[in-house]
Amino acid sequence: VTSPEQTVQPDCLFCRIISGEIPSSPVYETESVYAFPDIRPVGPTHVLVVPKVHRRDAADLRREDGQLLADLFAAATEVAALSGLSERGYRLVLNVGDDAGNTVPHLHLHVIGGRQLAWPPG
Ligand code: 5GP
Ligand code: ZN
């Protein structure tokens, strides 16, 4: 179920990637989510998982988005398995706002792995 007012934003970079207007290499896809490699990977694996409907960021989610969130995390688990990360682990990141360095205003879950990751982030 999608909110008609926020289905696709023509000026949104990731909406344009999802629609295929901007080419990308699919890593995984379902009816509700799309996963593709980050253009500037910070690890051997760095995949972005995005909902096909437009949400600005995690703070833009509503209670009605429960299924969307479940789909997003299920896809991340699938991406991790497809990328061979299930056994050794990986990091899931949702950046919100300027202090977190959020640059693209379309919700995206980072799946990062393939090396030991530092904690806490810088
Ligand atoms: P944020 O900092 O907003 O959480 O993450 C945005 C991510 O999108 C960054 O890691 C950045 O490298 C990635 N990115 C920005 N533009 C593009 C693009 O055109 N294609 C792809 N595949 N990734 C992008
Ligand atoms: Zn969008």
Side-chain angles (χ1 to χ4, degrees):
V1 181
T2 61
S3 319
E5 81 280 10
Q6 271 191 309
T7 305
V8 175
Q9 304 269 307
D11 294 335
C12 169
L13 174 62
F14 287 175
C15 281
R16 294 170 70 197
I17 286 178
I18 292 159
S19 74
E21 184 190 336
I22 296 173
S24 63
S25 311
V27 173
Y28 181 72
E29 184 170 13
T30 71
E31 204 178 305
S32 59
V33 302
Y34 182 60
F36 57 101
D38 195 292
I39 203 168
R40 287 180 55 195
V42 299
T45 295
H46 187 169
V47 174
L48 302 174
V49 185
V50 301
K52 289 185 176 179
V53 296
H54 182 90
R55 295 287 181 271
R56 190 192 63 243
D57 57 30
D60 188 34
L61 290 163
R62 321 87 190 267
R63 296 198 64 82
E64 310 84 76
D65 288 330
Q67 186 60 55
L68 184 68
L69 262 180
D71 293 350
L72 201 69
F73 278 87
T77 304
E78 203 60 47
V79 166
L82 291 167
S83 308
L85 302 179
S86 305
E87 196 168 322
R88 289 194 50 85
Y90 50 93
R91 183 160 295 156
L92 300 179
V93 176
L94 291 169
N95 290 321
V96 180
D98 291 342
D99 272 3
N102 181 215
T103 54
V104 180
H106 180 124
L107 178 66
H108 48 279
L109 182 58
H110 297 256
V111 181
I112 302 165
R115 64 170 171 84
Q116 182 76 51
L117 299 166
W119 187 264

